[in-house]
Amino acid sequence: MSNKLRLGVFKFASCDGCQLSLLNAEDELLALAEKLEIAHFLEASSIIGAGPFDVSLVEGSISTEADLQRIKDVRRLSKTLITIGACATSGGIQALRNGASYEEFVRAVYPSPEFIHSLETATPISQHVPVDFELRGCPVNTKQLVQILVDHLHGRRIRVPNHSVCRDCKLSGTVCVTVARGLPCLGPVTQAGCGAICPEFTRGCYGCYGPAHQSNPSSLMAWLSGHQHPVEQLVPLLQNFNAAAPAFSNAAKELQEGARR
Amino acid sequence: MSTSRTIRVEALTRVEGEGALNVRLSGDQIEAVELNIYEPPRFFEAFLRGRPLEDAPDITARICGICPVAYQMSSVHALERALGVEITPEIRQLRRLLYCGEWIESHALHMHLLHAPDFLGFASGIEMGQHFPEELKRGLKLKKIGNQLLEILGGRSVHPINVCVGGFYRPPKRDALLDLLPSLEWGIAAAADATRWVSEFDFPEFEADYDFVSLTHPDEYPFNEGDMLSSRTGVFPVAEYEKTIQEYQVPHSTALQAEKVATKSSCHFGPLARVNLNREKLQPIAKKLADECHFPTLCQNPFRAIVARGIELTHAFEEAAALVKAYRPVKSVRQSYELRAGEGAAATEAPRGTLFHRYHVDDEGKIVSALISAPTSQNQRQIEVDLESFLPGYLSLDNATIAHHCERLIRSYDPCISCATHFLRLTIERNDVS
């Protein structure tokens, strides 16, 4: 047996983009494979290893009864469990069904709803099992993903910066799209990690890395709605890939309630 | 007397997404072949309703991390039709360039990491790399160039952020594209070498009389525009897509299947269909390469899709290099539009086949309804039909070997089960009557 660490990659309800981010580490992939044994990674290998795993990467949210059981098995078999991406860390875009009429959603997509077996909600992994580290992003950043694996291999504490996208714009000299163009932007309340690409491409941040540490989305919303941005524009901005992250969902709720008053 | 035998393969691997295959046999009779996609449903078409139409390219991209550009392209074209937006030639060229990036990334990934290991007897691309290090490194380099192109044009490779209804938020930087030109030119030759390499593989003897379907365009290899073409029934307009090819639901899958309305028959979408139907429109080197590899005029062997993918990979590099050379930045690559109620449909060619979208929007710019037909759900019925005629030749073999061959056939379609709704688990039930 090799003394490599055994890696497991698992998928729940998701788009595959975060696992692909690992395969997108074209320059590091072969070096990583020298140090990690890919024991379970259905998208990349036909070897389906049983546990235990030294480190597991989990993509996707929990949205079926079967997955609810499967994540418990994955947790039991994994020494370190890292969730990757917005689906796994906050529920993802599919969490938009939480709070909507589930029955009606199924009927809208499937002509025979009775064949569909799914939970009424899509929820983050941490709601069901203890998680050792959450890597944010829709999708995760390949560099951050490689970095946390390397840190883990060397026994270092895994961490990524938790400041806001707004600060990255200042560091890179990107002109503020809210100040200069009047665009609504979630940069002040969204966690960095993407490289502040949206403002660089002259559009507002849409929050795909979720709420930044100690951010106050409600305050930003109050400011934006006081500056000609209608609630109908701001609510969808909060309700996308991290709609179910508490800081975003609370701010959306306050906006909606404020609009009704 | 009857004996029953069950063959179970825990998961179909090296595909994008998760599902299962159930085969029921009674003696040598195949009773049923069911591709069972149990990828959890995510209800995109339901939660798009009521959202601002400009959210569609970003949200539908999240259906698939492998081919987000396809979703962005089909959605913006459909919505532009609903709004009556005409895009400029510059926008059109940049969209083709963006699509080249996705085809390069997706085709290089599938050829080298997912499909080639089948022909060489390895469990993964990484394992294959221990025996074919140069080929794997070349493949990874090709893939990386596709991702770099996506980053320059789209901001990032998975779920690019620069596509909007009307064009792009910001034109790409010419310097960045020109810096990539030497890599793109290297890629043309390297992709052609990779294609020659895979064209020498041993292909299982299997052919089927397919109804190939793809977009077709009088002047160019199909990406974003054109009419639909069926090898059996000829041309039909994209606007009549659902009248010609309709999705229906089967109990064993969370992905809808598709068939021709008139004949209730399956269709074959993807690289094999596109090369067969549009070979004359390939870029010169790719076209010459197809001849050099003796790619049949009408190739009906699904396993040879890997060669078609190589030909298209070469084409995408050639076209990308030409587009980059011709690129002159303009101030804006974004058309403005007035909101109006309307309806619009579009089909574009995702790496693994035709992706159709239709939207109804209201006069406030909100989506009233959305319909999305993904390539893998469209190919799903064809895969079942293929397996029904492929299996009889293999029934004398042991269960594990049969399962392995079925998986290979399924994999040749580059199915993206995330798209179709993901885990392919293979079960073969045998009820041997004797």
Side-chain angles (χ1 to χ4, degrees), chain B residues 53 81 125 180 236 238 258 342:
Chain B
L53 63 91
R81 237 154 254 167
L180 194 65
F236 63 94
V238 170

Side-chain angles (χ1 to χ4, degrees), chain B residues 80-373:
Chain B
E80 285 160 8
R81 237 154 254 167
L83 296 164
V85 183
E86 292 289 330
I87 56 163
T88 63
E90 289 81 11
I91 294 170
R92 195 172 184 280
Q93 302 299 53
L94 286 176
R95 284 188 177 164
R96 287 190 71 84
L97 186 58
L98 185 69
Y99 234 140
C100 284
E102 177 155 290
W103 277 30
I104 292 171
E105 190 281 325
S106 179
H107 279 356
L109 169 79
H110 191 262
M111 284 173 75
H112 295 88
L113 289 174
L114 310 186
H115 206 187
D118 269 348
F119 296 94
L120 302 167
F122 299 106
S124 72
I126 289 165
E127 190 195 339
M128 181 185 85
Q130 290 158 9
H131 302 266
F132 294 88
E134 294 314 312
E135 285 82 357
L136 180 65
K137 280 183 198 151
R138 181 177 64 201
L140 288 172
K141 195 170 162 190
L142 288 165
K143 176 174 171 301
K144 183 179 172 180
I145 299 168
N147 279 334
Q148 289 173 315
L149 187 54
L150 289 166
E151 284 161 23
I152 295 170
L153 214 52
R156 63 184 169 199
S157 60
V158 179
H159 307 326
I161 51 90
N162 196 20
V163 171
C164 60
V165 177
F168 292 88
Y169 287 96
R170 195 204 74 186
K173 294 187 169 143
R174 185 159 180 250
D175 289 354
L177 284 173
L178 286 177
D179 286 347
L180 194 65
L181 190 54
S183 299
L184 292 170
E185 282 172 337
W186 171 86
I188 301 172
D193 285 343
T195 309
R196 288 184 196 101
W197 174 57
V198 301
S199 74
E200 300 285 313
F201 288 167
D202 241 347
F203 297 99
E205 302 253 344
F206 174 74
E207 291 202 336
D209 181 18
Y210 291 119
D211 184 357
F212 289 112
V213 177
S214 86
L215 269 180
T216 192
H217 189 279
D219 309 319
E220 59 197 15
Y221 202 73
F223 278 136
N224 285 307
E225 290 165 26
D227 286 321
M228 297 304 303
L229 177 61
S230 148
S231 60
R232 279 201 199 140
T233 54
V235 172
F236 63 94
V238 170
E240 283 174 21
Y241 199 94
E242 314 97 302
K243 283 189 197 148
T244 316
I245 294 168
Q246 211 168 38
E247 288 193 318
Y248 60 97
Q249 192 183 1
V250 289
H252 59 262
S253 179
T254 55
L256 303 173
Q257 298 198 351
E259 65 181 15
K260 277 270 191 68
V261 174
T263 49
K264 302 258 175 251
S265 55
S266 56
C267 311
H268 185 128
F269 297 83
L272 204 58
R274 284 192 299 255
V275 174
N276 280 331
L277 296 173
N278 304 279
R279 186 160 170 161
E280 289 309 307
K281 302 292 182 307
L282 285 165
Q283 293 275 324
I285 296 173
K287 202 161 125 190
K288 228 175 107 194
L289 178 71
D291 298 338
E292 187 198 324
C293 295
H294 304 290
F295 194 78
T297 327
L298 183 65
C299 179
Q300 310 214 80
N301 182 335
F303 296 95
R304 283 187 193 270
I306 191 171
V307 185
R309 235 164 249 125
I311 294 167
E312 288 194 333
L313 179 68
T314 312
H315 170 92
F317 271 104
E318 263 182 287
E319 178 156 357
L323 287 167
V324 166
K325 278 187 219 162
Y327 176 60
R328 298 289 178 275
V330 287
K331 204 158 176 244
S332 165
V333 281
R334 187 175 181 183
Q335 296 294 95
S336 56
Y337 51 84
E338 301 278 323
L339 296 176
R340 67 175 203 199
E343 174 276 317
T348 72
E349 288 293 328
R352 48 198 55 71
T354 309
L355 171 61
F356 176 80
H357 287 211
R358 183 186 292 281
Y359 298 90
H360 279 89
V361 296
D362 67 17
D363 54 8
E364 292 177 343
K366 291 208 170 83
I367 295 172
V368 178
S369 72
L371 173 78
I372 298 169
S373 290

Side-chain angles (χ1 to χ4, degrees), chain A residues 11 15-16 20 23-24 26-27 42-44 46 63 104 110 112 138 200-203 206 236 239, chain B residues 13-14 39 49 51 58 62 65 114 123-124 143-144 147 156 161-162 169-170 249 254 418 421-422:
Chain A
K11 177 188 152 70
C15 79
D16 260 38
L20 179 68
L23 297 177
N24 279 347
E26 291 97 357
D27 293 335
L42 293 182
E43 185 174 330
S46 295
S63 69
E104 197 276 324
Y110 295 96
S112 311
C138 182
E200 195 199 320
F201 279 78
T202 67
R203 68 178 291 191
Y206 58 82
Q239 286 181 340
Chain B
T13 57
R14 279 183 281 129
E39 174 84 15
R49 295 170 307 171
R51 291 197 69 107
D58 292 319
R62 267 67 181 189
L114 310 186
S124 72
K143 176 174 171 301
K144 183 179 172 180
N147 279 334
R156 63 184 169 199
I161 51 90
N162 196 20
Y169 287 96
R170 195 204 74 186
Q249 192 183 1
T254 55
S418 298
T421 88
H422 214 102

Side-chain angles (χ1 to χ4, degrees), chain A residues 107-153:
Chain A
R107 276 202 309 274
V109 181
Y110 295 96
S112 311
E114 67 276 16
F115 299 149
I116 300 300
H117 304 285
S118 172
L119 298 171
E120 291 190 12
T121 55
T123 43
I125 303 297
S126 60
Q127 198 165 317
H128 306 281
V129 295
V131 169
D132 298 293
F133 187 78
E134 294 188 311
L135 185 68
R136 304 264 203 91
C138 182
V140 295
N141 178 322
T142 295
K143 288 198 183 87
Q144 286 196 334
L145 182 57
V146 171
Q147 185 60 51
I148 64 168
L149 284 175
V150 170
D151 284 346
H152 187 70
L153 276 168

Side-chain angles (χ1 to χ4, degrees), chain A residues 88-247:
Chain A
T89 60
S90 81
I93 186 78
Q94 56 273 18
L96 284 177
R97 75 171 184 254
N98 306 357
S101 163
Y102 171 73
E103 296 284 323
E104 197 276 324
F105 264 43
V106 181
R107 276 202 309 274
V109 181
Y110 295 96
S112 311
E114 67 276 16
F115 299 149
I116 300 300
H117 304 285
S118 172
L119 298 171
E120 291 190 12
T121 55
T123 43
I125 303 297
S126 60
Q127 198 165 317
H128 306 281
V129 295
V131 169
D132 298 293
F133 187 78
E134 294 188 311
L135 185 68
R136 304 264 203 91
C138 182
V140 295
N141 178 322
T142 295
K143 288 198 183 87
Q144 286 196 334
L145 182 57
V146 171
Q147 185 60 51
I148 64 168
L149 284 175
V150 170
D151 284 346
H152 187 70
L153 276 168
H154 290 281
R156 289 192 291 260
R157 190 178 138 210
I158 303 176
R159 56 191 301 178
V160 295
N162 60 7
H163 62 258
S164 71
V165 170
C166 204
R167 201 168 105 184
D168 278 0
C169 273
K170 308 299 170 280
L171 286 169
S172 60
T174 300
V175 175
C176 179
V177 293
T178 304
V179 174
R181 296 170 183 265
L183 299 173
C185 177
L186 292 185
V189 297
T190 298
Q191 181 170 306
C194 59
I197 44 180
C198 285
E200 195 199 320
F201 279 78
T202 67
R203 68 178 291 191
C205 164
Y206 58 82
C208 65
Y209 277 61
H213 184 57
Q214 293 184 327
S215 63
N216 187 351
S218 298
S219 165
L220 177 69
M221 289 303 127
W223 188 89
L224 287 168
S225 51
H227 287 77
Q228 272 90 48
H229 295 290
V231 171
E232 304 83 75
Q233 182 186 35
L234 297 176
V235 170
L237 189 59
L238 290 165
Q239 286 181 340
N240 51 50
F241 314 104
N242 288 285

